[in-house]
Amino acid sequence: MRPARFGDWVGGARIRTLPMAVAPVLIGTGAAIFAGGPGEYHWVRALLCLVTAVSLQIAVNYANDYSDGVRGTDAVRVGPSRLVGSGRASARSVLIVAFAFFGIAAVAGIVLTVLTQYWWLLIVGAACIAAAWFYTGGKRPYGYYALGEVFVFLFFGLVATLGTMFVQVGTLSQEAWFGAAGAGLIACSAILVNNLRDRDQDRLVGKRTLSVLIGSTASRVLFVVLLLAPFLLASWVAFLYPELWFSLFALLAALPACVIVVTAQQPRELIIALRLVGITQLLYGLAWFWALAF
């Protein structure tokens, strides 16, 4: 096996998952611009939130690569090969890169804490890093006990969105709660379809994801519910903010993803669905930002 090249390391960052980090920051920033008075918007704080969220997402991706790799979970994969599991990179080097991105997230979070003087953000930041690591790390990773979707909804939905708004204007709006819930549900659908793709392999190695526990059919139904429910939330809010109707354009990616997941015969087909979920998440976040900010 050849050593990992630059492209392999970029692939290890799983760029297609980054909309999970970007969309909540877009929604929270849009809500902050809408709720804040003239000159109250803090673009530096918004940028720090983005750096923190993206760095955490990349860090958890490398940490997942490391943890699953050393456990042997990634020895046989349907999706893209992993750095440790494929043998292209040592577990130590992948762990170092994961810690580097955790460090970037921590530094951005500390700067944000100093600027806002909200010292309790240090506790929130520590919880985010711990949640990212223990997804598949540690002796009892919660990702192996069907809790991945719960934590993703909490941290890549509520915490990321509401935190972004609060550090900018010091308050939370009802619109931000709706947007946070929508972003969180789409993020959950991404985790679910990823685990549905790897369901057979995960069951063999004892990784009890939600998809393993509830089965293939229930996983497909739940995926459709998770991916489409956010559009019901957006439609409700759109009666007050008409520009939010543009969020329905994200259905151009969401509906094909639902069709693929419902009809897929082979796990590899779900890779395309996962990519479409990422596009859905990004378009959804942009629509909320546009509707609330402008």
Side-chain angles (χ1 to χ4, degrees):
M1 181 67 65
R2 64 171 176 78
R5 300 170 181 169
F6 178 75
D8 298 315
W9 285 100
V10 173
R14 308 181 201 177
I15 303 301
R16 293 186 181 90
T17 66
L18 296 189
M20 291 174 59
V22 175
V25 176
L26 287 173
I27 297 171
T29 300
I33 294 174
F34 178 79
E40 196 173 356
Y41 167 61
H42 300 283
W43 68 269
V44 173
R45 297 182 186 181
L47 183 60
L48 287 170
C49 288
L50 182 63
V51 171
T52 302
V54 171
S55 298
L56 278 175
Q57 179 64 59
I58 296 176
V60 74
N61 289 339
Y62 281 119
N64 175 258
D65 192 313
Y66 164 80
S67 298
D68 280 349
V70 296
R71 281 190 172 91
T73 308
D74 285 340
V76 179
R77 285 186 52 80
V78 177
S81 63
R82 300 302 182 213
L83 292 166
V84 177
S86 66
R88 291 179 178 175
S90 67
R92 182 174 180 273
S93 62
V94 174
L95 183 61
I96 290 174
V97 174
F99 281 165
F101 279 99
F102 278 131
I104 294 172
V107 170
I110 291 172
V111 173
L112 191 59
T113 301
V114 173
L115 290 177
T116 61
Q117 295 295 295
Y118 297 140
W119 299 104
W120 50 265
L121 286 176
L122 295 176
I123 300 176
V124 176
C128 290
I129 292 176
W133 172 254
F134 288 108
Y135 173 51
T136 55
K139 293 183 178 180
R140 294 184 178 274
Y142 63 84
Y144 281 58
Y145 295 93
L147 292 175
E149 287 80 2
V150 175
F151 278 81
V152 163
F153 179 82
L154 178 63
F155 286 97
F156 283 97
L158 301 185
V159 173
T161 305
L162 301 177
T164 297
M165 180 181 183
F166 193 86
V167 298
Q168 294 183 59
V169 293
T171 187
L172 297 176
S173 66
Q174 187 177 22
E175 297 84 0
W177 280 96
F178 276 105
L185 290 173
I186 297 176
C188 287
S189 74
I191 296 297
L192 183 61
V193 72
N194 183 75
N195 290 336
L196 177 61
R197 181 197 65 198
D198 298 332
R199 179 173 167 269
D200 292 336
Q201 290 73 26
D202 289 342
R203 185 175 62 250
L204 290 175
V205 298
K207 186 176 182 180
R208 293 174 288 179
T209 63
L210 180 60
S211 184
V212 169
L213 291 183
I214 66 177
S216 176
T217 300
S219 296
R220 295 168 195 259
V221 173
L222 181 58
F223 171 83
V224 173
V225 172
L226 291 174
L227 190 57
L228 297 186
F231 294 98
L232 296 179
L233 295 175
S235 297
W236 177 262
V237 179
F239 285 105
L240 295 177
Y241 306 91
E243 292 84 355
L244 194 51
W245 289 114
F246 285 110
S247 66
L248 298 183
F249 278 107
L251 286 171
L252 294 174
L255 291 177
C258 291
V259 172
I260 292 172
V261 170
V262 170
T263 62
Q265 299 296 318
Q266 299 295 328
R268 288 189 177 277
E269 298 175 57
L270 300 175
I271 298 175
I272 300 175
L274 181 59
R275 294 172 181 172
L276 290 172
V277 171
I279 296 173
T280 301
Q281 181 79 299
L282 186 58
L283 293 177
Y284 189 82
L286 286 170
W288 275 87
F289 174 79
W290 178 264
L292 296 178
F294 299 106

